[in-house]
Amino acid sequence: SNTSLLANFSADIKLIPKILTARLIYGINTENAERNFFIPSTTYFDQLNRSRGALSTSKRQNQTIDATVSYKQRLLNAVDVDAVAGFGEYPANSSGFTATGADMMDAIGTDALGSASLSSQTVTSFRSQTKQRSYFARSSFNYQNRYLLMLSFRYDGYSQFFPQNKYASFPSASLGWNLANESFLRNVRFINLLKLRASIGVTGSAGSQAYGTFSPDGNIITFNDGAVAYVPYLLTQLDNPNLQWPKTVNKNLGLDFSLFGERVSGSFDIFRDDLTRLITNVNTAMLSQISTEPVNSG
């Protein structure tokens, strides 16, 4: 079974009517899942007639918190300015567990997994928590619907990177020239739109972790004739303080057109994306207990 909740709340505040406004947004997406799985011994499955069952639950929650301020104004009766600045935070959490067993009575099923044979009983669980934070600003300047300039800047942080590399900057800029509104084409009636544009910007995405991890090895070590028991933990990933945000530099040149009363329209584009600092897993040094580690490469 699966249950979910998706809710969004927003509030708009008019600081200066038609010029300066603020918006607050909160969104939450929560999903809860339960799974009850049982195969009776009368069913031939996986080369055996053996009862097997599992109970599992999982939970996932994503939240969005945004606060922005918008400014719209016409300056000098010629330039339309539209600007937005704000802050965003995006926590993500997930957790779950699974219990499995075999050889229980068919009539009991998964109602008493403790009755399964001891050698078949397993319990696993997990929990994950990440957070991304963004500071951003973007603005556009439109001069008489002929020349358009757009600027944007993001400063993003991700919880899975070390403090010195937690944040990265992502600027971008674009220019547009609407030739159809120039005097030398204004009287050409079959041209509705003819716009040249160019842009360059940096984007990035986070999805790997720089911190080391430990995992239990599944065995219990006893001392003093079983009076003392320890669960050994193994290092399964190394710390990598130098891991940074992957970045992609996007470059684009384009032409948009619309002709004959917008009966014919389209665009031509040429672009180049330079992907840098890609995160990949590479082999570690010889004799290391960890075979691979994530690094920025490519």
Side-chain angles (χ1 to χ4, degrees), residues 43 60 65 110-111 135 139 202 220 246:
T43 300
R60 182 175 63 179
I65 305 166
T110 57
D111 293 336
Y135 303 89
S139 60
V202 182
I220 297 178

mmCIF file with all atom_site columns, all heavy atoms in Angstrom, residues 43 60 65 110-111 135 139 202 220 246:
data_model
loop_
_atom_site.group_PDB
_atom_site.id
_atom_site.type_symbol
_atom_site.label_atom_id
_atom_site.label_alt_id
_atom_site.label_comp_id
_atom_site.label_asym_id
_atom_site.label_entity_id
_atom_site.label_seq_id
_atom_site.pdbx_PDB_ins_code
_atom_site.Cartn_x
_atom_site.Cartn_y
_atom_site.Cartn_z
_atom_site.occupancy
_atom_site.B_iso_or_equiv
_atom_site.pdbx_formal_charge
_atom_site.auth_seq_id
_atom_site.auth_comp_id
_atom_site.auth_asym_id
_atom_site.auth_atom_id
_atom_site.pdbx_PDB_model_num
ATOM 1  N N   . THR A 1 43  ? 3.802  -23.357 -2.833  1.00 0.00 ? 43  THR A N   1
ATOM 2  C CA  . THR A 1 43  ? 4.158  -22.734 -4.118  1.00 0.00 ? 43  THR A CA  1
ATOM 3  C C   . THR A 1 43  ? 5.629  -23.003 -4.426  1.00 0.00 ? 43  THR A C   1
ATOM 4  O O   . THR A 1 43  ? 6.504  -22.713 -3.595  1.00 0.00 ? 43  THR A O   1
ATOM 5  C CB  . THR A 1 43  ? 3.897  -21.217 -4.085  1.00 0.00 ? 43  THR A CB  1
ATOM 6  O OG1 . THR A 1 43  ? 2.508  -20.991 -3.837  1.00 0.00 ? 43  THR A OG1 1
ATOM 7  C CG2 . THR A 1 43  ? 4.286  -20.575 -5.393  1.00 0.00 ? 43  THR A CG2 1
ATOM 8  N N   . ARG A 1 60  ? 9.457  8.721   2.401   1.00 0.00 ? 60  ARG A N   1
ATOM 9  C CA  . ARG A 1 60  ? 10.240 9.718   1.671   1.00 0.00 ? 60  ARG A CA  1
ATOM 10 C C   . ARG A 1 60  ? 9.546  11.071  1.792   1.00 0.00 ? 60  ARG A C   1
ATOM 11 O O   . ARG A 1 60  ? 8.331  11.162  1.656   1.00 0.00 ? 60  ARG A O   1
ATOM 12 C CB  . ARG A 1 60  ? 10.380 9.323   0.202   1.00 0.00 ? 60  ARG A CB  1
ATOM 13 C CG  . ARG A 1 60  ? 11.220 10.300  -0.617  1.00 0.00 ? 60  ARG A CG  1
ATOM 14 C CD  . ARG A 1 60  ? 11.430 9.795   -2.015  1.00 0.00 ? 60  ARG A CD  1
ATOM 15 N NE  . ARG A 1 60  ? 10.184 9.675   -2.755  1.00 0.00 ? 60  ARG A NE  1
ATOM 16 C CZ  . ARG A 1 60  ? 10.098 9.269   -4.019  1.00 0.00 ? 60  ARG A CZ  1
ATOM 17 N NH1 . ARG A 1 60  ? 11.198 8.921   -4.673  1.00 0.00 ? 60  ARG A NH1 1
ATOM 18 N NH2 . ARG A 1 60  ? 8.932  9.194   -4.630  1.00 0.00 ? 60  ARG A NH2 1
ATOM 19 N N   . ILE A 1 65  ? 11.175 25.381  0.286   1.00 0.00 ? 65  ILE A N   1
ATOM 20 C CA  . ILE A 1 65  ? 10.965 26.635  1.003   1.00 0.00 ? 65  ILE A CA  1
ATOM 21 C C   . ILE A 1 65  ? 11.590 27.749  0.163   1.00 0.00 ? 65  ILE A C   1
ATOM 22 O O   . ILE A 1 65  ? 12.804 27.762  -0.046  1.00 0.00 ? 65  ILE A O   1
ATOM 23 C CB  . ILE A 1 65  ? 11.605 26.613  2.399   1.00 0.00 ? 65  ILE A CB  1
ATOM 24 C CG1 . ILE A 1 65  ? 11.093 25.406  3.193   1.00 0.00 ? 65  ILE A CG1 1
ATOM 25 C CG2 . ILE A 1 65  ? 11.317 27.905  3.151   1.00 0.00 ? 65  ILE A CG2 1
ATOM 26 C CD1 . ILE A 1 65  ? 11.897 25.103  4.425   1.00 0.00 ? 65  ILE A CD1 1
ATOM 27 N N   . THR A 1 110 ? 3.149  -13.728 7.476   1.00 0.00 ? 110 THR A N   1
ATOM 28 C CA  . THR A 1 110 ? 4.066  -12.715 8.021   1.00 0.00 ? 110 THR A CA  1
ATOM 29 C C   . THR A 1 110 ? 3.566  -12.113 9.328   1.00 0.00 ? 110 THR A C   1
ATOM 30 O O   . THR A 1 110 ? 4.122  -11.131 9.807   1.00 0.00 ? 110 THR A O   1
ATOM 31 C CB  . THR A 1 110 ? 4.259  -11.579 6.992   1.00 0.00 ? 110 THR A CB  1
ATOM 32 O OG1 . THR A 1 110 ? 2.973  -11.028 6.666   1.00 0.00 ? 110 THR A OG1 1
ATOM 33 C CG2 . THR A 1 110 ? 4.926  -12.081 5.736   1.00 0.00 ? 110 THR A CG2 1
ATOM 34 N N   . ASP A 1 111 ? 2.505  -12.731 9.918   1.00 0.00 ? 111 ASP A N   1
ATOM 35 C CA  . ASP A 1 111 ? 2.002  -12.190 11.183  1.00 0.00 ? 111 ASP A CA  1
ATOM 36 C C   . ASP A 1 111 ? 2.949  -12.461 12.349  1.00 0.00 ? 111 ASP A C   1
ATOM 37 O O   . ASP A 1 111 ? 2.824  -11.831 13.403  1.00 0.00 ? 111 ASP A O   1
ATOM 38 C CB  . ASP A 1 111 ? 0.622  -12.794 11.508  1.00 0.00 ? 111 ASP A CB  1
ATOM 39 C CG  . ASP A 1 111 ? -0.437 -12.338 10.507  1.00 0.00 ? 111 ASP A CG  1
ATOM 40 O OD1 . ASP A 1 111 ? -0.242 -11.264 9.904   1.00 0.00 ? 111 ASP A OD1 1
ATOM 41 O OD2 . ASP A 1 111 ? -1.427 -13.061 10.329  1.00 0.00 ? 111 ASP A OD2 1
ATOM 42 N N   . TYR A 1 135 ? 20.875 30.723  -3.108  1.00 0.00 ? 135 TYR A N   1
ATOM 43 C CA  . TYR A 1 135 ? 20.658 32.162  -3.147  1.00 0.00 ? 135 TYR A CA  1
ATOM 44 C C   . TYR A 1 135 ? 20.703 32.552  -4.629  1.00 0.00 ? 135 TYR A C   1
ATOM 45 O O   . TYR A 1 135 ? 21.632 32.159  -5.335  1.00 0.00 ? 135 TYR A O   1
ATOM 46 C CB  . TYR A 1 135 ? 21.748 32.907  -2.370  1.00 0.00 ? 135 TYR A CB  1
ATOM 47 C CG  . TYR A 1 135 ? 21.872 32.478  -0.929  1.00 0.00 ? 135 TYR A CG  1
ATOM 48 C CD1 . TYR A 1 135 ? 22.718 31.425  -0.559  1.00 0.00 ? 135 TYR A CD1 1
ATOM 49 C CD2 . TYR A 1 135 ? 21.146 33.120  0.072   1.00 0.00 ? 135 TYR A CD2 1
ATOM 50 C CE1 . TYR A 1 135 ? 22.833 31.023  0.765   1.00 0.00 ? 135 TYR A CE1 1
ATOM 51 C CE2 . TYR A 1 135 ? 21.255 32.727  1.401   1.00 0.00 ? 135 TYR A CE2 1
ATOM 52 C CZ  . TYR A 1 135 ? 22.096 31.681  1.737   1.00 0.00 ? 135 TYR A CZ  1
ATOM 53 O OH  . TYR A 1 135 ? 22.194 31.279  3.053   1.00 0.00 ? 135 TYR A OH  1
ATOM 54 N N   . SER A 1 139 ? 17.475 38.984  -13.668 1.00 0.00 ? 139 SER A N   1
ATOM 55 C CA  . SER A 1 139 ? 16.878 40.242  -14.120 1.00 0.00 ? 139 SER A CA  1
ATOM 56 C C   . SER A 1 139 ? 16.872 40.282  -15.636 1.00 0.00 ? 139 SER A C   1
ATOM 57 O O   . SER A 1 139 ? 17.718 39.662  -16.299 1.00 0.00 ? 139 SER A O   1
ATOM 58 C CB  . SER A 1 139 ? 17.643 41.442  -13.563 1.00 0.00 ? 139 SER A CB  1
ATOM 59 O OG  . SER A 1 139 ? 18.997 41.416  -13.987 1.00 0.00 ? 139 SER A OG  1
ATOM 60 N N   . VAL A 1 202 ? 26.607 28.924  -16.696 1.00 0.00 ? 202 VAL A N   1
ATOM 61 C CA  . VAL A 1 202 ? 27.173 27.779  -15.990 1.00 0.00 ? 202 VAL A CA  1
ATOM 62 C C   . VAL A 1 202 ? 26.064 27.128  -15.171 1.00 0.00 ? 202 VAL A C   1
ATOM 63 O O   . VAL A 1 202 ? 25.324 27.813  -14.463 1.00 0.00 ? 202 VAL A O   1
ATOM 64 C CB  . VAL A 1 202 ? 28.328 28.196  -15.064 1.00 0.00 ? 202 VAL A CB  1
ATOM 65 C CG1 . VAL A 1 202 ? 28.927 26.975  -14.375 1.00 0.00 ? 202 VAL A CG1 1
ATOM 66 C CG2 . VAL A 1 202 ? 29.399 28.940  -15.848 1.00 0.00 ? 202 VAL A CG2 1
ATOM 67 N N   . ILE A 1 220 ? 28.839 -10.908 14.364  1.00 0.00 ? 220 ILE A N   1
ATOM 68 C CA  . ILE A 1 220 ? 28.985 -10.483 15.764  1.00 0.00 ? 220 ILE A CA  1
ATOM 69 C C   . ILE A 1 220 ? 30.188 -11.211 16.347  1.00 0.00 ? 220 ILE A C   1
ATOM 70 O O   . ILE A 1 220 ? 30.284 -12.447 16.287  1.00 0.00 ? 220 ILE A O   1
ATOM 71 C CB  . ILE A 1 220 ? 27.720 -10.797 16.581  1.00 0.00 ? 220 ILE A CB  1
ATOM 72 C CG1 . ILE A 1 220 ? 26.526 -10.012 16.024  1.00 0.00 ? 220 ILE A CG1 1
ATOM 73 C CG2 . ILE A 1 220 ? 27.941 -10.459 18.054  1.00 0.00 ? 220 ILE A CG2 1
ATOM 74 C CD1 . ILE A 1 220 ? 25.223 -10.283 16.731  1.00 0.00 ? 220 ILE A CD1 1
ATOM 75 N N   . PRO A 1 246 ? 30.052 19.375  -9.874  1.00 0.00 ? 246 PRO A N   1
ATOM 76 C CA  . PRO A 1 246 ? 30.262 19.305  -11.330 1.00 0.00 ? 246 PRO A CA  1
ATOM 77 C C   . PRO A 1 246 ? 29.685 20.573  -11.978 1.00 0.00 ? 246 PRO A C   1
ATOM 78 O O   . PRO A 1 246 ? 28.673 21.104  -11.517 1.00 0.00 ? 246 PRO A O   1
ATOM 79 C CB  . PRO A 1 246 ? 29.466 18.063  -11.754 1.00 0.00 ? 246 PRO A CB  1
ATOM 80 C CG  . PRO A 1 246 ? 29.134 17.344  -10.497 1.00 0.00 ? 246 PRO A CG  1
ATOM 81 C CD  . PRO A 1 246 ? 29.114 18.353  -9.407  1.00 0.00 ? 246 PRO A CD  1
#
